[in-house]
Amino acid sequence: MFTGIVETIGTVSALESHDATSSGGGGTSLTIIDCADILTDAHLGDSISINGTCLTITALTPSTFKVGISPETLRRTNLSSLTASSPLNLERAVSAATRMGGHFVQGHVDTVAAIEAKTPDGNAITYRLRPRDAGVLRYVVEKGYVTLDGASLTVTAVRDGPAGWFEVMLIAYTQERVVMGGKGVGEEVNVEVDMVGKYVEKSVRGYFEGKEGGEMGVLERMVGRMVDERLKGT
């Protein structure tokens, strides 16, 4: 679990598609440097958020670490597009002493979104983003939370639909401290929607679907009763 408050920006040292070492496990691995300040209390097996993706530390030195990346993660995130020297948002998992300055972030990326426009507004910039999977927009609400490349941000506008989009605004301070501040139109960011919306949707759907075994759902029965009462009154 994370907060979406980026602690530091690291740098890609290597992205290997087939890492045969014991720490690579024969799969894709990512080695990150320029992050010694967040590794003082790190251990092998710890979770760490890399551009909003929760990954496991498989190798560690005082100033570098390595993680393995599964095929599902490569398909779902923008990590496959990284190259040597690419910057990365980094955040350690929360502890009992962590201040919750952002929101509850799982590090489970839902989709990626392309930056469609960047519009200056004073010293801030409004970003318009179009998600690859437009279905996630039902969980995005104005003034709600969204996690972009691991950074907790506030939604300023939403348009639903197959060609829908949403907007966030980055103040000057944030632009300098997250990788999105240096990205341009057409580049992609990882998106994690607020998990609370997913739980609410599942609970409500379960309620209205009713019990299993072929019985009518609650909503259908309610509509049926309303129709019957209306017919009786005519």
Side-chain angles (χ1 to χ4, degrees), residues 31-165:
T31 303
I32 299 171
I33 60 176
D34 299 332
C35 52
D37 51 333
I38 66 166
L39 297 180
T40 55
D41 59 351
H43 303 86
L44 291 176
D46 280 359
S47 294
I48 191 164
S49 173
I50 301 173
N51 271 8
T53 308
C54 179
L55 297 171
T56 301
I57 296 176
T58 59
L60 182 66
T61 75
S63 59
T64 70
F65 71 96
K66 180 192 287 187
V67 296
I69 309 176
S70 72
E72 164 67 8
T73 299
L74 290 171
R75 288 189 293 268
R76 188 71 72 103
T77 70
N78 62 14
L79 297 184
S80 62
S81 66
L82 297 173
T83 60
S85 77
S86 291
L88 297 161
N89 290 334
L90 302 176
E91 182 193 354
R92 291 169 289 186
V94 299
S95 69
T98 301
R99 294 174 66 94
M100 284 300 300
H103 72 284
F104 288 113
V105 176
Q106 292 178 299
H108 300 163
V109 174
D110 293 295
T111 189
V112 295
I115 298 173
E116 193 171 76
K118 293 173 63 175
T119 306
D121 187 353
N123 69 342
I125 297 177
T126 295
Y127 287 74
R128 177 170 292 183
L129 301 114
R130 188 181 299 276
R132 182 171 64 192
D133 176 8
V136 302
L137 288 170
R138 66 181 182 272
Y139 306 116
V140 180
V141 296
E142 187 175 349
K143 302 308 177 187
Y145 293 116
V146 68
T147 308
L148 301 180
D149 276 344
S152 174
L153 296 168
T154 301
V155 178
T156 58
V158 186
R159 174 173 291 176
D160 294 321
W165 46 260

